[in-house]
Amino acid sequence: MSNVEQESSLPLGLDVGTSRIVVARSMDRAHQSQYESQLNAFITMPYSKLTQSLLEREGVFHEVFGGELVVTGNDAQRFAEVFHVETRRPMLRGVLNPQEPHSLPVMRSIITRLVGTAGAAGRKLFFSIPAPVSDGDQAIAYHEASIQQILKPLGFDAQPIQEGLAVVFGEMSGSNYTGIGISCGSGLCNVCLAVLSVPVINFAVAKAGDFIDTQAAAVTGELATRMRVQKELNFVVNGLSGDRVQNALTVYYDDVIQTLANTLRATISSAQRLPKLNQSVPIVLSGGTAIPKGFLKRFTAALHAEDFPIKISEVRLAEDPLNSTARGALMAALC
Amino acid sequence: MREPECCTYYLHDTREKPVTGVAMALILWKRRERLRMIEQRARETADPMERLRYVRGQMDGMAPPEKFQRPSSRKLAALIAAALGAALLLWRIS
């Protein structure tokens, strides 16, 4: 088998996130991984031959859906900035956006662009799915089936993996895959307590990056997109300052951190079938929302503010927070 | 409010679960020993991928306690005892 053929039959890991879709590829059997991501967003424009040829000439990834030109992925952000419009999102709170008619075709377009066709029939691919949120039904089954519908025609043997468990797989080899993996994304914070790779508790908290953006935008009168840009530029979660945007972001970051810590404590305390854990377990934070400086410190403080039902050995940030879930999904696929 | 999803398939030695009788205590002890052995063996595996493969393989092999089955060695012992008993009975009759 040639190198190219071998590469095209190696398993893939896919992180289907509300904000970004990331694919992890194993480059060889020595476990070197390569990541590629696309923004999970799009913008639409009225169809015209002139615009289409312009997009083609510029190499912009686009498709025609029902009389509209739809620009998806990273190019959507670029165009949104040029035209001063907000990008539209095919996913909301971890699952397909029910209010967005273009959600499925856009997801198909982005996923197909990232993973391509399987090459060899039945090529293994693990994709992330969210955990249930405690205060509502998110139609996870529909979301999961839809992603399967996208991947199966491409020739993949696609299997779902809970996002929190993927973080455990990707980051916790040192503790034999025992610990709490938390993925703080845009739509949700997904949490999984696993013991020796077996998921014991899975849940999600509906307050995450999007919540911070929309709430901070509402109180400052700014666009949510601007809040996101501010957050990604140089934001530090370190108390109140003179800047009102920074203050608003800090307030809602604190809200997310407190909610996450309290829900984690309450869920583990009330679990009916919690195993006896003789040793203390690590907590690993991943995802874009956990990246700003100060998040880890505040989260650790919130955890230690009250008694925690199990012993914690350490709380740390993942080595590569944006790619942890895809890496874990790839590891599951390689097993 | 929806309950968080809890996996139940092997980790049944809970604080709430009452241990009934010596047999149950023995089962739980054996299970804990098995977990300890898996942990120990996994630590000896340096490669993270191999470690995950080993741990998952071992954990997937764990029988769900809800459908607890007698260990195969006990089943075999019971079969041998029954066969010996039957042979002894036949010998006595003849």
Side-chain angles (χ1 to χ4, degrees):
Chain A
M1 196 185 271
S2 73
N3 279 349
V4 176
E5 279 172 333
Q6 195 177 28
E7 201 180 291
S8 67
S9 66
L10 286 173
L12 297 177
L14 188 67
D15 171 13
V16 185
T18 307
S19 168
R20 298 192 82 83
I21 300 181
V22 185
V23 64
R25 287 188 181 84
S26 179
M27 297 318 289
D28 51 35
R29 295 285 175 191
H31 323 311
Q32 292 291 316
S33 304
Q34 191 189 55
Y35 305 98
E36 191 185 343
S37 72
Q38 284 287 332
L39 196 70
N40 197 359
F42 67 100
I43 58 163
T44 56
M45 291 179 271
Y47 177 82
S48 79
K49 280 203 165 177
L50 181 71
T51 318
Q52 191 177 20
S53 63
L54 194 75
L55 292 176
E56 274 165 11
R57 203 175 57 208
E58 293 295 318
V60 175
F61 192 73
H62 67 280
E63 289 194 31
V64 182
F65 298 138
E68 280 184 313
L69 279 167
V70 181
V71 177
T72 59
N74 296 340
D75 291 330
Q77 180 68 45
R78 201 151 55 92
F79 270 74
E81 280 162 15
V82 172
F83 295 121
H84 297 287
V85 290
E86 289 256 22
T87 52
R88 285 158 68 181
R89 310 274 289 273
M91 279 173 63
L92 182 73
R93 294 176 76 182
V95 294
L96 283 167
N97 187 348
Q99 275 110 46
E100 185 51 75
H102 286 304
S103 63
L104 203 54
V106 167
M107 292 284 289
R108 181 176 287 116
S109 161
I110 297 172
I111 289 174
T112 306
R113 186 183 185 188
L114 282 171
V115 301
T117 50
R123 185 179 181 187
K124 266 171 96 177
L125 182 151
F126 270 62
F127 63 93
S128 66
I129 54 165
V133 178
S134 55
D135 59 355
D137 189 1
Q138 301 149 271
I140 295 170
Y142 171 71
H143 173 77
E144 185 187 321
S146 302
I147 305 299
Q148 292 265 21
Q149 272 178 13
I150 294 170
L151 292 165
K152 284 222 165 118
L154 298 172
F156 289 99
D157 171 15
Q159 302 287 329
I161 180 171
Q162 299 262 6
E163 199 169 318
L165 184 63
V167 175
V168 172
F169 284 4
E171 300 289 336
M172 292 192 188
S173 67
S175 59
N176 286 336
Y177 307 100
T178 295
I180 301 172
I182 305 177
S183 172
C184 301
S186 290
L188 299 169
C189 288
N190 279 280
V191 183
C192 175
L193 164 64
V195 177
L196 287 167
S197 81
V198 176
V200 181
I201 297 171
N202 263 312
F203 68 93
V205 177
K207 283 182 181 175
D210 286 345
F211 168 82
I212 296 169
D213 299 345
T214 50
Q215 296 299 314
V219 296
T220 54
E222 298 278 357
L223 282 176
T225 310
R226 190 171 167 244
M227 293 295 123
R228 192 166 58 80
V229 172
Q230 282 277 315
K231 231 170 56 180
E232 287 170 2
L233 272 178
N234 52 5
F235 177 65
V236 180
V237 196
N238 67 349
L240 300 177
S241 68
D243 186 288
R244 71 194 180 99
V245 170
Q246 295 275 322
N247 280 350
L249 287 171
T250 302
V251 166
Y252 290 107
Y253 247 106
D254 267 339
D255 189 0
V256 167
I257 289 167
Q258 288 298 333
T259 308
L260 180 60
N262 291 339
T263 313
L264 183 60
R265 185 181 294 110
T267 308
I268 293 177
S269 298
S270 64
Q272 293 293 306
R273 294 186 170 94
L274 192 71
K276 276 180 184 161
L277 293 162
N278 296 325
Q279 79 275 39
S280 50
V281 298
I283 294 181
V284 175
L285 295 161
S286 77
T289 300
I291 289 176
K293 275 185 189 167
F295 186 97
L296 179 66
K297 197 175 162 191
R298 292 225 168 190
F299 179 72
T300 310
L303 275 186
H304 293 143
E306 284 176 50
D307 282 345
F308 201 71
I310 53 177
K311 280 185 276 179
I312 304 296
S313 59
E314 61 165 345
V315 185
R316 66 178 165 89
L317 192 65
E319 276 177 32
D320 188 0
L322 293 175
N323 296 327
S324 285
T325 305
R327 181 177 137 88
L330 175 63
M331 286 181 74
L334 284 164
C335 274
Chain B
M1 186 166 152
R2 214 167 130 176
E3 282 288 302
E5 196 178 307
C6 292
C7 167
T8 59
Y9 66 83
Y10 90 91
L11 297 159
H12 229 227
D13 45 344
T14 64
R15 283 175 291 195
E16 290 81 10
K17 180 98 180 162
V19 177
T20 52
V22 179
M24 190 61 176
L26 194 67
I27 292 161
L28 295 178
W29 179 78
K30 277 185 177 170
R31 187 163 294 134
R32 266 197 292 271
E33 276 301 292
R34 172 106 197 264
L35 292 177
R36 205 172 58 78
M37 291 302 290
I38 294 169
E39 284 250 32
Q40 199 176 341
R41 175 85 193 277
R43 276 187 210 291
E44 290 162 11
T45 316
D47 179 48
M49 200 62 244
E50 282 304 317
R51 186 181 281 197
L52 179 60
R53 205 168 280 146
Y54 169 75
V55 169
R56 284 186 88 194
Q58 293 296 311
M59 299 311 282
D60 283 350
M62 286 247 176
E66 287 92 338
K67 295 174 191 169
F68 176 69
Q69 296 162 343
R70 279 166 181 248
S72 55
S73 58
R74 288 181 69 186
K75 261 188 197 170
L76 194 68
L79 275 173
I80 291 167
L84 278 173
L88 195 67
L89 193 68
L90 279 172
W91 177 69
R92 289 284 291 171
I93 291 166
S94 61

